[in-house]
Amino acid sequence: MSDRVAVGLIGCGFFSRNHLHSWKDLASAGADLVAVCDVDPAKAKAAAEVFGVPRWYSDAATMFRDENLGLVDIVTRMDVHRPLVELALGHRVPTVVQKPFGPDWDACVAMVESAATAGIFLAVHENFRFQAPLRKVKEILDSKAIGEPSWARISFRTGYDIYAGQPYFFDEERFVILDLGVHVLDLARFFLGEVEHVSCETQRRNPKVRAEDTATMLMRHLSGAVSVVECTYEAHRLPDGFPETRVEIEGPNGAVVAKPGRILELTVNGRLTESDVDAPTLPWMAPPWHIIEESVFRTCAHMLEALRAGRDADTSGRDNLKTFAVCEAAYRSAATGRAVRPGT
Ligand code: NAD
Ligand code: 89Y
């Protein structure tokens, strides 16, 4: 592979500005954003103009034919992930695809199998585990300061008007577990390891949305640890921590708590220390989204680094299948009233 990586981006909608900024900023790390694509030509053209991208397309097949891409970043919604991933792999282009990986289990498995057969890099842009405060939590766990974690609560509760930027949420057939559950369940795996079984209750509390907007999950991990994992878009209380995840983890020697406001509380052997773990901001980042924006930059940087090192990303397609399996198990549990083992 040459020193520089030619990046193409597909999907120039609401969230894409974070990816576009990130790839531009990663020029110093060897990324050249050479082309953007959207089925809406006005969006593709606007993205190319605003971000100084040399070429734009309204058809992904044409982009793959005409460009010599070293990486494609797919920032469309999940319904078109599989055909776009298959197209990219058919052109032997290493691929990163936004979360949720796909609309269902079969689509996700098919993408992972296609990448394995072709021997091509495939990763999911699962960015929550790259958020600055949550990296710090992982660092503390890895240091064994609190001992082996035995209990956790991971919670994303908000009443922020997410529908303004993402109006498609009103009509999703499966909503909060696929949109937010993928993030918080991925964090549960990241912090406590693989899941033995999950019980889940879902609620549709906002009558204007079609599917569940609240999920409350209880999990046993293979390590023996227990976690309570929650996500909702219907928590109308102040202060509203959007878009931060509250994480509380306990071990035999202490506890670590990441609170909205980017405050980290660490108790070790009866001694409490508090630190500010805010994300360092770049000029295009602004509160309240900056925690997420910064994690998009870190995730893109990780993808570039892993690709160039010839290894899988931490959130490879294969790894993300394990998170997706827990989501599917949560849906099954909500439907049956039983605890469900992921992948069964
Ligand atoms: P969006 O609908 O605003 O944008 C998607 C864009 O993709 C649209 O402009 C659409 O025209 C384009 N598109 C659709 N099919 C296409 C195709 N075949 N070829 C080219 N372009 C195509 O959606 P969004 O809010 O930007 O979300 C995109 C993805 O990002 C979703 O999967 C969403 O879940 C994810 N997202 C992730 C985070 C995060 O923190 N990781 C936050 C928000 C959104
Ligand atoms: O869609 C959601 C996500 O993935 O991160 C934040 C979000 O945009 C709204 O909660």
Side-chain angles (χ1 to χ4, degrees), residues 10-16 19 37-40 43 58 60 75-78 80-81 84 98-100 125-128 165-166 168-169 179 183 289 292 295-296:
I10 306 179
C12 303
F14 167 74
F15 201 65
S16 65
H19 291 245
C37 171
D38 197 294
V39 283
D40 180 340
K43 285 190 186 174
S58 57
V75 197
T76 60
R77 280 147 57 188
M78 62 185 169
V80 290
H81 285 179
L84 289 172
Q98 251 293 351
K99 52 59 63 173
H125 185 104
E126 173 42 71
N127 53 317
F128 273 35
Q166 297 169 274
Y168 50 85
F169 284 156
D179 183 60
H183 290 309
W289 284 89
I292 284 196
S295 71
V296 171

Side-chain angles (χ1 to χ4, degrees), residues 10 60-61 63-64 69 71-74 81-96 118 120-122:
I10 306 179
M63 180 175 85
F64 283 113
L69 298 179
L71 177 70
V72 67
D73 192 15
I74 299 174
H81 285 179
R82 184 176 173 188
L84 289 172
V85 165
E86 301 284 2
L87 184 64
L89 296 175
H91 285 266
R92 307 200 60 74
V93 176
T95 301
V96 183
I120 304 284
F121 180 98
L122 174 64

Side-chain angles (χ1 to χ4, degrees), residues 233-280:
Y233 284 129
E234 277 299 311
H236 299 287
R237 53 176 163 167
L238 295 174
D240 189 314
F242 181 85
E244 290 184 63
T245 309
R246 183 183 169 95
V247 173
E248 301 163 68
I249 302 177
E250 297 173 359
N253 306 330
V256 56
V257 178
K259 301 201 304 198
R262 282 80 67 199
I263 301 299
L264 196 102
E265 292 172 347
L266 174 63
T267 306
V268 178
N269 298 324
R271 196 169 157 267
L272 171 69
T273 50
E274 199 176 279
S275 50
D276 183 345
V277 282
D278 208 352

Side-chain angles (χ1 to χ4, degrees), residues 158-189:
T158 187
Y160 182 89
D161 182 15
I162 37 93
Y163 303 100
Q166 297 169 274
Y168 50 85
F169 284 156
F170 284 116
D171 210 32
E172 297 288 14
E173 269 173 51
R174 304 200 292 176
F175 176 22
V176 86
I177 297 178
L178 281 194
D179 183 60
L180 272 183
V182 289
H183 290 309
V184 285
L185 291 169
D186 190 68
L187 288 175
R189 288 186 50 237

Side-chain angles (χ1 to χ4, degrees), residues 157-158 163 169-177 200-216 231-236 331 334:
R157 312 191 70 81
T158 187
Y163 303 100
F169 284 156
F170 284 116
D171 210 32
E172 297 288 14
E173 269 173 51
R174 304 200 292 176
F175 176 22
V176 86
I177 297 178
C200 175
E201 294 288 344
T202 55
Q203 293 165 285
R204 177 174 154 269
R205 293 156 74 195
N206 179 348
K208 293 187 186 145
V209 300
R210 182 170 166 199
E212 87 289 351
D213 55 28
T214 300
T216 309
C231 48
T232 184
Y233 284 129
E234 277 299 311
H236 299 287
Y331 276 116

